[in-house]
Amino acid sequence: GPFDVVFAATRSHLQDLNHIAPALAQALRERPALRLTTFLNAHAPRCLRLPNAIHLPWMEWSRYRAFVAENRFHAAIAPALDTHFNRARSISKVHDHAAFGAAGIYSHQPPFDHIVTHDTSGLPISKDPEHWRVTLHDLVERRDKTLNIAGGGQALSRSLGDMLRVRNFWVTELGVE
């Protein structure tokens, strides 16, 4: 059956997607059951305008939250080039991917390589576009692995989002009680 992948990001991450877009397009052509969803509408890379790719328009927060609650994906991708912007990223993609029930695939760099455990709570991989294509093929073929990684990502998200843990982080970070 179909294997659904989401790129849950705005145009601010378009440069990152553009880096892997040709390899992603190749994977989509090689595997028609592989389906991609983005929120880039007309801004999606040309090579990703394929029959098995849907490029939804940007959504206001309340509509996006409803979309997340109503939709599930097998995998979610978060490619990231080594830029100042990406080095300052938060862990929000881990939470986004968990909310979609998806196995997260991340560029092997901060903050993901410090919190995501390979093959357990996600897949931090190299920036090599071919590695992204091969990883998607592997997940399509090994759905049990995909499901296990997705479950591990959800457990990681729950742990990272634990209110007491978050409070303690900020108390320590801000030096207040």
Side-chain angles (χ1 to χ4, degrees):
F3 188 91
D4 293 308
V5 177
V6 65
F7 175 69
T10 62
R11 288 188 339 218
S12 64
H13 298 285
L14 190 54
Q15 178 184 4
D16 302 312
L17 181 62
N18 280 332
H19 178 71
I20 67 163
L24 186 53
Q26 183 180 349
L28 290 165
R29 286 190 303 273
E30 291 168 346
R31 303 258 181 169
L34 188 61
R35 300 186 307 195
L36 174 68
T37 299
T38 76
F39 300 90
L40 298 171
N41 205 3
H43 300 284
R46 280 195 196 283
C47 67
L48 293 178
R49 296 181 193 167
L50 298 167
N52 51 341
I54 182 170
H55 304 290
L56 301 170
W58 172 87
M59 297 177 191
E60 67 178 27
W61 180 241
S62 62
R63 181 149 155 52
Y64 179 76
R65 285 181 52 192
F67 181 88
V68 171
E70 295 166 2
N71 291 274
R72 294 292 168 261
F73 293 87
H74 295 93
I77 57 173
L81 296 171
D82 188 15
T83 65
H84 292 294
F85 178 77
N86 286 333
R87 277 184 245 124
R89 286 180 93 156
S90 74
I91 59 169
S92 64
K93 288 295 169 225
V94 172
H95 298 303
D96 287 345
H97 297 175
F100 278 123
I105 308 170
Y106 309 92
S107 289
H108 194 288
Q109 69 182 43
F112 308 116
D113 61 349
H114 297 301
I115 60 169
V116 174
T117 303
H118 189 79
D119 277 348
T120 302
S121 57
L123 294 167
I125 62 174
S126 78
K127 292 173 197 70
D128 178 0
E130 179 63 11
H131 199 178
W132 289 78
R133 186 185 72 77
V134 169
T135 298
L136 283 171
H137 279 296
D138 182 54
L139 292 177
V140 169
E141 291 298 318
R142 300 175 58 201
R143 303 230 181 169
D144 56 330
K145 173 183 177 177
T146 303
L147 186 59
N148 288 336
I149 293 170
Q154 288 176 326
L156 175 63
S157 176
R158 280 191 302 274
S159 170
L160 294 171
D162 176 74
M163 296 301 272
L164 183 57
R165 183 179 189 278
V166 172
R167 181 190 180 285
N168 289 339
F169 169 82
W170 285 111
V171 164
T172 301
E173 200 62 29
L174 298 174
V176 296
E177 193 58 42

